[in-house]
Amino acid sequence: MEVGAPDYLAGERQTAEFDVESMKVTWAGSRHALEVSDRMARLVASDPVFRKDNRVMLSRKELFKNTLRKAAHAWKRIVELRLTEEEASRVRFFVDEPAFTDLHWGMFVPAIKGQGTEEQQQKWLPLAYKMQIIGCYAQTELGHGSNVQGLETTATFDPKTDEFIIHSPTLTSSKWWPGGLGKVSTHAVAYARLIVDGQEHGVHGFIVQLRSLDDHMPLPGITVGDIGMKFGSGAYNSMDNGVLRFDNVRIPRDQMLMRVLQVTREGKVIQSDVPRQLIYGTMVFVRQTIVADASCALSRAVCIATRYSAVRRQFGSQNGGPETQVIDYKTQQSRLFPLLASAYAFRFVSEWLKSLYTDVTEKLQRGEFSTLPEAHACTAGLKSITTSATADAIEECRKLCGGHGYLANSGLPELFAVYVPACTYEGDNTVLLLQVARFLVKTVSQLGSGKVPVGTTAYMGRARHLIQCKSNVQSAEDWLNPQVVVEAFEARSLRMSVACAENLAKFPNPEEGFAQLAADLVEAAAAHCQLIVVTKFFEKLQQDIPGKGVKKQLQILSSVYALYILHKHLGDFLSTGSITPKQGALANDQLRSLYSKIRPNAVALVDAFNYTDHYLSSVLGRYDGNVYPTLYEEAWKDPLNDSVVPDGYQEYIRPLLKQQIRNARL
Amino acid sequence: MEVGAPDYLAGERQTAEFDVESMKVTWAGSRHALEVSDRMARLVASDPVFRKDNRVMLSRKELFKNTLRKAAHAWKRIVELRLTEEEASRVRFFVDEPAFTDLHWGMFVPAIKGQGTEEQQQKWLPLAYKMQIIGCYAQTELGHGSNVQGLETTATFDPKTDEFIIHSPTLTSSKWWPGGLGKVSTHAVAYARLIVDGQEHGVHGFIVQLRSLDDHMPLPGITVGDIGMKFGSGAYNSMDNGVLRFDNVRIPRDQMLMRVLQVTREGKVIQSDVPRQLIYGTMVFVRQTIVADASCALSRAVCIATRYSAVRRQFGSQNGGPETQVIDYKTQQSRLFPLLASAYAFRFVSEWLKSLYTDVTEKLQRGEFSTLPEAHACTAGLKSITTSATADAIEECRKLCGGHGYLANSGLPELFAVYVPACTYEGDNTVLLLQVARFLVKTVSQLGSGKVPVGTTAYMGRARHLIQCKSNVQSAEDWLNPQVVVEAFEARSLRMSVACAENLAKFPNPEEGFAQLAADLVEAAAAHCQLIVVTKFFEKLQQDIPGKGVKKQLQILSSVYALYILHKHLGDFLSTGSITPKQGALANDQLRSLYSKIRPNAVALVDAFNYTDHYLSSVLGRYDGNVYPTLYEEAWKDPLNDSVVPDGYQEYIRPLLKQQIRNARL
C-alpha cells in the first residue's frame, strides 16, 4: 500500500480484538519464517519483471516466453543476492506462476536424492543445483496415471553394451503431463518397467537426457512436445506439460536410479539393503507440502472474498444512508467464515504434518517401521480432504464476490484454474480415501487382537466406549468444549468405520465387498480425516500462543471449523447416533453466534496472512479496499479497447446494420 | 461420426436395454423438436466457419472478431435458408459461443415487447428484427447488481425540450456487465431512476442510442468500452460485456418504455391500466429458459464424463488382461450416475415450467393474480437449485475424467467457465432462495387462516399429517415407491419450513429474525425446491412414454435422483424425524443396486441427448470413443509446438545452462 493513500478498510481494521502482528507470526509458524516470507514477498512485488496483471492478455507463446523470462530473472536474483535455499524457495513461491523450475527443484532433484545411490547423487546433483542441466519427472503416461504399476514404457537391459534401452511400445505409453518436459527440460527421471533377461522387475526411475546441451534439439530417438492448452487463460498454460516418446533410446546402465534395486554389469538384479519403506518418508514430505499449499490457496481466496465483502454494499439502505455491507449478511457469513476457519485449520494441520515427517524420518533411520502405515494413511487422507475442500472453497469465494468475481482481475478464476489439479495429482483424491478406508477397516478388524492402534487412529482403541457413548451436550455453550466436540467426531468416525467393517464381512469375497461398498468407505475415510483436522487444531491451542487476543480468535475459529463440518455432515452424526437432532440444532445455534464474534475481526484475520497486493493479484482483494475506481481503470487496458470501433466492424457488423448480409462474403 | 469408422463404444451401446431413438424423442420433448434440433446441429457442425476447436488458442481480439464473423455468418444462413424462428434459435444454440446476438434476441427484443407500448413496439421491433439496429440490456451497474432499486443512473425529464436527460452521476453508477454493450450494440435499453419535477418514480427502461449508425462511433456524451477478460480462455471472452457512462445524454420522451408507467408531455406521471404483475410472466419465462439451459449444460458434461469413463481403464488387470473400465468402479458410479439422473430430472422440470408459463400467461390475461406469487417463488427456487447443482456437476465431471479432464480439449474447463455465471445472473442463487423462504414462511403462517396453499406448495395444506407422519419403509425395495419417497420429501420440507417459522416467531422484530436465521431459511427453501424436482420427475412418469424400455429407464433415474438427494441431505431427513437412520441406510442400499441397473445403459442414456461431436467439442467425449490417438494428434497443434526449440531459448534457457546468468540481460 502506498504511503498516505486512503484505506477504505481502516474502519474494519479498527474493530479487530487481537494483535494482528502476533497473528502473522502464528500463521507463518515463527518470527523468522514471517520475516523471510515478508522480505521475499516485497522483493518480488517490487520487481517489474515479475508483474502478473498482464498475464491473461498474453497468447500462449507470449505467456510461456514471459515465464521463461521470470524463471531466469528469479535465478539471477537468487544468485546475485546469494539467497539461502529457504529464501530462494519463497521467491519462487511469490513469483506465483507454474514453471519448469517447480519440477526441477520439487521433483527431479528429490527423485535423485531419494532414489539415487551416493555415487549417482554426487554425479548428478551438482549439475542440477547449478542448473547446468534442467530436469523433469516423467512418470504419468497417456493411458496411466493413478495405476503406476500399469505404466507401459520399458527399460530393457542389454548386457552386450551395458545399456538400458528405453522404449515406448504403444501410443498410450507416451509420457504425458510431466511439467517442464515439453520445451525446457534437458533431462528427465523417466519411469519404466525394468526388464532384465526377459524378466520384469517392476517400475523404476531412469535418468535420460532428452535434449542436446549445445543447441537444445531433442536427441535421436526422442520425440518431445507440449500437450496443449489447459484450464484457464493463464494458470498452468505457463507450464510446458509435455508428451514424450522413446524409440529405443539407449542410456548407460548407471543411469538407472539404484538406491533400492540394482542391476549389475552381469545382469543380476539385486535388492539393496535400503528399506523399501523409505518411499513413505518421501510421500509424507510431498503430501505435507500439498496440505500447506492448500492452506495458502484457500487463505488467498478467503482474503479476497472477505475484503471485498466488507467493501461491497447491497440492499438495506435506511433513510438514504449507505447500504448494508455484504459481510453483515448471515448468508454471506455462513458461507465465508467456515472457509476462513478452514484456512487456519489446514495451516495448523500442515504444521503438524511437518513434525510428523521429522518423526517418520527419525523412525526410518532407527529401522522402526511399525507406525509407518498409519502415517501414510493419515497424510494420504489429509491431502485428499484439504485439496478437495480448497478447490470447492475457491469457487465458493468467487461466487461470494458476486458478478465481479467472474472478472479475471478478481484473481479468483485464475486461482481456481491453477489450483484444481491438486485434487488429481500425487494421488487422485478418491483413490487416496479408499487407501485410508482400507487402513481403517484393517485397524478395526484387528481391535480384538491386542494390536493397539497408533497415532491418529489411537482413538479407535477406545472403541468399546465410543461405540455406545452418548454426547451430553445440553446447551449451545457445551459445543464450545473441545472434548465434547472431539468425542462426537470420534464416535461418528469410529462407528462409520465399524459399520463398513461389518458390512464388508457380509460379502464372501472381501475384495468384492470392498468394490461394492466403495462409496461408503470413502465417506468413512473422510470422517476420520476431518477428525484429525479438528483434533490438531484443538491441540495447537494447547500451546503457548503469544499476542493479545490471538488465542481467543483461534479458539473461535477452531469451534467454527468443527461445528461447520458437523452441520455439513449432520447425516453422519445422526445416523450413527453420535448426537441427537436436538444437539445438532444446538450446534447450529452456537455456530450462528460464533459468526457474530468473527465479524469484527474478519478483515484483520485475513490481513494476518500477510499477502501483498502483488501476490493476491486481485482488484477485489486490494489491501486498501479501493475496488471500484481500480476496476474502472483496469477495464480500459483490455486489447479490445485499443480502438473504439472494433476490428471486424467493417466485415461483420456494418453489413448486418446496412442489410447487406445476403451479398456479404463472410 | 464418419461412415465406416470404428466405434470403440459399440460394446457399450449393445448392452442398452431400451430404444435410444425413442429416448431421444422424450429428451427433446417431441419428434418435431428432435428433428429440428438434429437438422440444425448438423447444419452448424458441417460448416467450417463454425469450427470451435481453435478457440482457446486465439487472443482476445482474434476470438472476438471470430465471434463477430460467426454471428454474421449465422444470420446470413438464417436469411438464406429462410429458417423459422425455432430453427434460428437452435442454430444460435449450436453455434455455442456467447455473442451479442444472445442479448439482442434474448433481452433487448423481449424488453421492448414486454415494457413498450403498442406504438413503441411498432416503431422499434421491425428495426430490431431485421438487425438494422443491435441492442443490449443495460441494467447492472458497477456498484449494483442484485439490488435493482439501488441503481444510480438517472433519467430526468426536461419539460422544456420534452426530453429525458440520462446521466451517470457517480463512478459506481457506470453500467457494467451488459453483454454486447462494449463494442457492438448501437442501442440499449438502459435502466435508470425516473425523476420528474424533482420527484423520484422508481427504476424504468429507456431506449438509448449509443453509437452512430453511419460509422459506429459512440454518440456525444456516451463513453463505452469492454470491461476486460473474464473466467476461462474462451468462454465469455467472446462477448463484449461492457461499461457505459452517460454524460447528460438527451433522448426524446417517447423512448421511455411506457407500457406500465407513462410520462406525459406536461410532465404528469400516470400509471397505466396494465397490471404490474405482468413482470411475473416474463420472469417465469426467463427462468424456465435458464432451467432448460441447466439441463443442457449438465447433460453435456455428463455425456463427456460417461463416455470417457467407459473408454478409460485403470487398475484391476487380471492375468495380463485389460484393466477395469473406470465406469465399473462404484466410486465412479456413485459420483457420475446421480448427475446423469439430475440431467434428466432438470430436463423434465424445465418442461413442466414451460407449461407453468403458459398457465401463468393465461391467468394474467384473465386478470387472475392470486397464484402468481407461488409460481414466482417456484421458478426462482428452481433457477437457483438447478444452476448451482449444474455448476458443481460440471466440475465434478471434469474430475471424473482424471488428469485429462484438465486439458482444454476435454471441453469441460470451457463448459465450466461459460456456465458458472448462471449462478449469479438473473438473480443471485442465495438471494433467490431467501425469496422462496420468505414465501414458504408466509404460507406456513397462513395455514390456520383458511388460505389454501396452491401449486407446488399444495402439500403444505396437509401440514397436520406431514408434521407427525412416520415413513413406513421397511425394506430397500420400499424406496422404489414414488409415494413413499414424495412423502418423506414433503415431511422434510414442511418440517424445515415450520421450524423456521417457529424460530422466527421468537424474535421480537421479524426482519431481525429473518436476517439472523437466513442460513436456515436457505436450507428450507432448497428442500422445498428439491421436492418439486422429485415430484415433477415422478409426475412425468405418469404420462404415456413410448419406446421399448424407455419408461423403465426413467423410473430408475427418477429413483436415483431422489435417493441421491436424500443421501446427500440425510441430516435434514433425520433431524426432522422424517425418516429413521435405518431407513436412511436402506435408501443407500437401494441406491447402490440402482447404479448396477444403470451401468449397462449408461452410454446409451447419454447418446439419447443426441449431441454432435461438434457441439460437445470434447476429445474425451467423442461419440466413437477414439480418445487417445486424437489427444496425441491434437497436442501437436498447440502454437508452442511450432518449433522444437522454444522461442525464448536463446535469451532465457541457454544462459542458465551455460552458467552465464550473472552477465545476462534479462
Side-chain angles (χ1 to χ4, degrees), chain A residues 61 130 142 144 147 183 214 226 229 323 335 404 406 408 417 430 523 567 641-643 654 659, chain B residues 61 130 142 144 147 183 214 226 229 323 335 404 406 408 417 430 523 567 641-643 654 659:
Chain A
K61 268 178 158 171
K130 291 195 215 146
L142 190 50
H144 286 92
N147 183 10
K183 293 289 154 183
D214 291 327
D226 183 273
M229 288 283 285
E323 293 172 284
R335 292 163 72 195
H404 299 340
Y406 191 64
T430 303
E523 290 177 9
H567 182 68
N641 288 326
D642 287 352
S643 62
R654 193 176 164 82
Q659 305 294 297
Chain B
K61 270 179 156 170
K130 290 195 217 147
L142 190 49
H144 286 93
N147 183 9
K183 293 288 152 184
D214 290 328
D226 183 273
M229 287 283 284
E323 292 171 283
R335 294 163 69 196
H404 299 342
Y406 191 64
T430 303
E523 290 178 9
H567 182 66
N641 289 326
D642 288 352
S643 61
R654 194 177 162 83
Q659 306 293 298

Side-chain angles (χ1 to χ4, degrees), chain B residues 343-518:
Chain B
Y344 277 91
F346 295 173
R347 185 71 182 187
F348 297 133
V349 83
S350 82
E351 208 174 66
W352 170 77
L353 273 178
K354 236 190 233 176
S355 65
L356 180 71
Y357 172 64
T358 314
D359 183 57
V360 162
T361 312
E362 278 172 15
K363 282 183 175 153
L364 278 170
Q365 283 163 354
R366 288 203 303 269
E368 285 179 37
F369 304 131
S370 66
T371 64
L372 288 180
E374 183 273 323
H376 175 247
C378 152
T379 48
L382 289 174
K383 184 272 178 184
S384 175
I385 67 159
T386 58
T387 55
S388 288
T390 297
D392 292 348
I394 294 168
E395 173 60 6
E396 183 74 354
C397 284
R398 195 189 62 71
K399 290 195 186 120
L400 286 168
C401 291
H404 299 342
Y406 191 64
L407 285 170
N409 64 21
S410 77
L412 292 164
E414 279 299 285
L415 183 58
F416 184 75
V418 88
Y419 188 75
V420 288
C423 298
T424 312
Y425 63 56
E426 282 298 316
D428 173 89
N429 281 352
T430 303
V431 174
L432 290 179
L433 285 181
L434 281 172
Q435 292 177 6
V436 176
R438 226 172 247 280
F439 178 74
L440 293 177
V441 166
K442 192 173 169 194
T443 305
V444 166
S445 71
Q446 293 175 336
L447 278 180
S449 74
K451 192 159 191 251
V452 180
V454 295
T456 57
T457 51
Y459 72 99
M460 290 188 155
R462 288 179 286 113
R464 197 164 299 174
H465 169 68
L466 291 173
I467 205 80
Q468 47 77 30
C469 66
K470 287 193 191 313
S471 173
N472 51 14
V473 165
Q474 296 187 327
S475 69
E477 282 63 45
D478 289 344
W479 279 118
L480 295 176
N481 180 345
Q483 281 176 312
V484 167
V485 172
V486 168
E487 185 171 89
F489 272 79
E490 286 177 345
R492 165 210 184 203
S493 174
L494 186 273
R495 293 177 195 189
M496 288 174 79
S497 286
V498 167
C500 283
E502 286 172 357
N503 289 333
L504 281 171
K506 294 174 193 162
F507 287 84
N509 173 347
E511 280 311 304
E512 170 65 13
F514 210 84
Q516 288 298 324
L517 300 176

Side-chain angles (χ1 to χ4, degrees), chain B residues 60-104:
Chain B
R60 178 85 206 278
K61 270 179 156 170
E62 292 165 341
L63 178 69
F64 181 69
K65 188 174 178 182
N66 198 38
T67 300
L68 296 181
R69 179 173 178 235
K70 288 184 184 182
H73 186 67
W75 184 241
K76 188 181 182 197
R77 298 296 287 152
I78 287 165
V79 172
E80 280 173 350
L81 299 172
R82 298 171 188 273
L83 298 186
T84 64
E85 180 48 38
E86 182 190 13
E87 289 167 335
S89 134
R90 295 312 286 168
V91 165
R92 283 192 290 272
F93 175 82
F94 287 116
V95 168
D96 186 39
E97 199 160 83
F100 66 90
T101 43
D102 301 347
L103 286 301
H104 178 79

